[in-house]
Amino acid sequence: EGEESEDESQALEREVTAVIHEVGVPAHIKGYQYVREAIVIAVQDMDVINAVTKVLYPEVARRYSTTPSRHAIEVAWDRGDLETLQRYFGYTVSNTKGKPTNSEFIAMIADRIRLQRKIYRV
């Protein structure tokens, strides 16, 4: 399994960007790039979802020389389009259940993109 081509990598980044815009993550907030990067990494390797705090967050933080923030997810949840959020998160969108965790948010979007791209693990 070779490295993704630059075109493939850019296409993935465009897809992730489109989805997080659709869900309602504003591009100007601090955590926007972190969320996008985390989803891109998860699409490329879903195993990181099982090690969010040990693998995914440190990798995102390393790439941006910072610490990942939950802020982008909270803003997306507060400002996001309810219909779109329900399409992505289903039962997770309810007053009783509250916001998804970071890993739920990242995993659900990454999984949806993987299915759209028909990337299946063997």
Side-chain angles (χ1 to χ4, degrees):
E1 196 172 297
E3 287 289 309
E4 270 192 316
S5 71
E6 191 55 36
D7 287 347
E8 189 59 28
S9 178
Q10 287 171 338
L12 173 57
E13 197 162 305
R14 278 195 304 275
E15 285 174 61
V16 172
T17 301
V19 171
I20 59 181
H21 279 176
E22 188 185 352
V23 171
V25 181
H28 67 277
I29 61 169
K30 186 181 175 187
Y32 174 85
Q33 288 180 304
Y34 312 152
V35 171
R36 180 172 62 191
E37 193 68 25
I39 294 167
V40 166
I41 294 167
V43 170
Q44 292 167 334
D45 179 12
M46 272 312 260
D47 289 336
V48 299
I49 291 303
N50 301 319
V52 170
T53 53
K54 289 184 177 162
V55 178
L56 186 58
Y57 291 172
E59 177 57 24
V60 171
R62 186 188 64 75
R63 292 184 187 190
Y64 288 95
S65 306
T66 188
T67 322
S69 158
R70 186 180 164 85
H71 182 64
I73 292 170
E74 289 172 350
V75 171
W77 204 251
D78 294 340
R79 297 192 197 174
D81 176 62
L82 187 60
E83 206 172 286
T84 305
L85 288 166
Q86 284 174 332
R87 191 151 34 88
Y88 279 90
F89 298 107
Y91 74 93
T92 320
V93 182
S94 71
N95 294 336
T96 52
K97 183 122 170 69
K99 297 181 179 86
T101 64
N102 286 11
S103 39
E104 282 175 329
F105 185 90
I106 292 162
M108 288 182 205
I109 292 180
D111 192 48
R112 184 183 177 96
I113 290 171
R114 285 174 72 88
L115 290 172
Q116 285 173 346
R117 292 170 67 92
K118 294 188 168 33
I119 297 173
Y120 299 107
R121 285 193 305 183
V122 180

